[in-house]
Amino acid sequence: MGHHQRETRMSTQLARQDHPVAEWLLSASTKEQMRAALPAHLTPDRMVRLALTAFRTNPGLSKCSPPSVMAAIMMASQLGLEPHVLGSCYLVPHGTECTLIVGYQGLLQLIRRSGEIAAISARVVYDSDLFEVTLESTPPFRHHPNLRRKGADPILGVYCHAVLTSGEHVFEWMAKEDVDLIRNRARAGKSGPWATDWAEMARKTVLRRAAKYLPRSVSMADALELTDKAEAPLYQPERVKVEAMPVAVGGARMVPPPPPAVVPNEDEATPVVDARGDGMDAALEDESAGEFPWG
């Protein structure tokens, strides 16, 4: 029996069981909605087959609420990503809710759609590799992988390097410990792709951090927002920590975002002394705070 025949039989079996998601997928109105959302290289029939295959291979999805599964499938259609194909995106059950997780390859696809990326990659660095970071050079790093690496070679971290069509280089580095901190805070940190494909998820993590400072399409912005919600921490820290900015070489200096506003108690507030009386001291202080050694 061929692949498509097996999927058709599975579709019939799900429909006979009156499964709401199967009925929804097989309806003509759903395929029309998908056709309106999908890019030219994807068809509604293929998305339906991929969704039904996900149900067959992951029984946890059948326990999720039908609306959450339908929403995840339609979001994948709108982003033009194929569920569970080459790390593009994943339908992941969280109890009774289905969440769409955008994978490393899917994030790469969306980043390249901006048309302003000449080259981009994210790589894993091992202990035996030759890896150096020099902020004054272009590109600001040197990586020579050890081709004779042993199986027990520890991972040091991951990095993302992008070259824009303008010639600017963007570089971001994350140590393995930093990646694991994010993994441990994520709702899906103990299951799904984090459990089966750590390296891919690590590359996606550093890519996602660098992507916030890259040109982006509308679909890319939607994917970043979706990923932030899907991989939200299990707890919220009391203070928001401003992450270090990536290195920009050969282009305009990248100014860090302002820190979160903190309103002090009235009895703890300290007035700003302006010696000149025209606000210039505070302005100069704010400007100097944005200086970087590579600026």
Side-chain angles (χ1 to χ4, degrees):
M1 182 180 295
H3 179 66
H4 294 327
Q5 290 178 325
R6 288 196 301 268
E7 289 180 343
T8 302
R9 187 179 69 175
M10 181 184 62
S11 303
T12 304
Q13 290 173 348
L14 287 173
R16 287 174 180 173
Q17 296 172 3
D18 295 327
H19 196 288
V21 173
E23 294 179 354
W24 174 77
L25 283 170
L26 297 173
S27 69
S29 61
T30 298
K31 291 184 178 182
E32 284 301 318
Q33 293 177 25
M34 288 184 175
R35 184 173 287 107
L38 287 168
H41 68 281
L42 287 178
T43 65
D45 288 338
R46 176 167 176 79
M47 286 298 293
V48 169
R49 289 197 300 269
L50 292 173
L52 292 174
T53 300
F55 264 80
R56 176 172 57 86
T57 57
N58 190 344
L61 290 175
S62 62
K63 301 177 182 178
C64 295
S65 67
S68 69
V69 179
M70 298 173 187
I73 295 173
M74 286 305 301
M75 178 58 70
S77 301
Q78 292 173 12
L79 295 176
L81 300 178
E82 299 179 317
H84 302 269
V85 175
L86 299 177
S88 181
C89 65
Y90 306 89
L91 300 174
V92 180
H94 292 297
T96 60
E97 293 297 312
C98 175
T99 302
L100 180 68
I101 302 292
V102 179
Y104 169 66
Q105 293 294 337
L107 207 54
L108 275 181
Q109 293 177 40
L110 297 175
I111 289 175
R112 291 185 175 124
R113 289 180 191 173
S114 71
E116 299 182 53
I117 306 296
I120 187 169
S121 63
R123 304 184 189 278
V124 177
V125 179
Y126 293 84
D127 184 63
S128 63
D129 292 351
L130 173 60
F131 182 73
E132 297 176 348
V133 176
T134 306
L135 301 182
E136 293 78 14
S137 66
T138 302
F141 72 99
R142 183 171 60 145
H143 183 201
H144 295 284
N146 178 15
L147 301 182
R148 295 180 175 84
R149 177 182 304 116
K150 304 299 181 182
D153 197 7
I155 293 177
L156 291 183
V158 290
Y159 68 88
C160 175
H161 175 227
V163 182
L164 307 187
T165 54
S166 63
E168 180 181 359
H169 290 248
V170 175
F171 174 75
E172 177 76 9
W173 158 260
M174 291 183 69
K176 183 179 184 299
E177 292 76 9
D178 296 329
V179 176
D180 284 337
L181 284 175
I182 293 177
R183 173 189 177 178
N184 293 335
R185 293 198 302 262
R187 289 186 294 173
K190 303 300 182 182
S191 60
W194 269 119
T196 58
D197 301 287
W198 186 95
E200 177 183 306
M201 292 300 290
R203 289 196 296 267
K204 185 194 115 172
T205 299
V206 71
L207 182 64
R208 188 179 74 180
R209 179 172 291 187
K212 296 179 180 180
Y213 309 101
L214 295 174
R216 65 185 68 176
S217 61
V218 175
S219 58
M220 177 62 196
D222 291 340
L224 287 177
E225 181 180 0
L226 176 69
T227 303
D228 288 341
K229 291 179 179 179
E231 300 180 2
L234 293 172
Y235 61 92
Q236 295 294 333
E238 295 181 0
R239 297 273 181 171
V240 177
K241 180 180 179 181
V242 179
E243 298 176 349
M245 293 290 292
V247 180
V249 180
R253 182 171 61 228
M254 304 181 73
V255 181
V262 177
V263 180
N265 296 329
E266 293 184 0
D267 54 351
E268 295 179 355
T270 303
V272 177
V273 178
D274 187 353
R276 298 178 53 174
D278 56 3
M280 185 61 67
D281 290 352
L284 290 176
E285 183 177 350
D286 290 341
E287 181 179 356
S288 63
E291 296 294 335
F292 285 86
W294 57 82

